[in-house]
Amino acid sequence: MPTIQSRDGTPISVTTTGTGPGLVLIPGGLRMAHHYTRFAAALAEVRTVHLVNRRGRGDSGPQGPAYSMDREVEDAAAVLDATGAAEVFGHSYGGLIALRLALGRRLDKLVIYEAGLNLDGRINPVILSDMERKLAAGREARAMTTFISGLGLAPIGLLPMPVFTAFAWLMLHTADGRETRALLGTLPSELREVLALDSNGGEYAAITAPTLILAGGRSPQWLREVQSELAALIPKAAYTVSPGLDHNAPDEKAPAAVADLVRAFLTTGGARAR
């Protein structure tokens, strides 16, 4: 897997597939480039998709002691420079990185799927301290459930917390889960950046790129509200909600359906929920 050197010398690994104009894909938290393989394949006939393994993942370098959102933006900019791409897709925390990138760089197109954005203090900072305490104690499953329940990313209320924690423990000890378990240590630094960037969102009005903001109807209400508010702030933004999709649609549940919306926007400027 080729690597691209970021501004501070950190290697960033990138996987490329497809043909056509370049699209850089920035994964979300606990996600790696390979989680978006099906999504990239669905766009491969119209775009050269560059799948980024963010810091702390795969062959990329570690987050490092100087980790910040600025480093993530520098990493994404380095990939754009090296590939010549001018379009960006960001999912979840990767969506926040894409937004910050677009504030300081001209992009031809920007696509966001449920950016991990903290508008007007919607994310409780207690989630971070609780998660850090549990990770320090080696209670990884509890840290995982703290993160998921705190952000409303799963219907945990349908199960008693001890049952959900036991389910998380089993999941983290599967073959796929062990990879997630290895990435848990990256979450506190990323969540700290999300919390530090809490605002009313006014700065995003400076984004000039034509932008598509996507959300799933099965995602948490607060997250959908944030995307709607964000779309109202960005001058050239369109907002689309797909009723049957959730937060992990691009990487797990419905990559082809999300790719259909993205393809329509990138090639014709339109997108329609289904």
Side-chain angles (χ1 to χ4, degrees), residues 123-137 139 142-143 146-147 187-189 191-192 195:
I123 299 176
N124 188 343
V126 172
I127 299 171
L128 174 60
S129 55
D130 283 355
M131 189 168 56
E132 287 183 313
R133 186 175 65 254
K134 290 167 183 174
L135 284 173
R139 297 179 174 179
R142 292 190 180 187
T146 293
F147 178 74
L187 274 182
S189 296
L191 183 54
R192 189 173 293 108
L195 293 169

Side-chain angles (χ1 to χ4, degrees), residues 72 87 114 138 153 168 178 188 228 251 253 273:
E72 293 276 13
E87 299 174 345
E114 296 190 349
L153 295 176
R178 281 191 286 273
S228 176
D251 53 313
K253 307 291 181 57

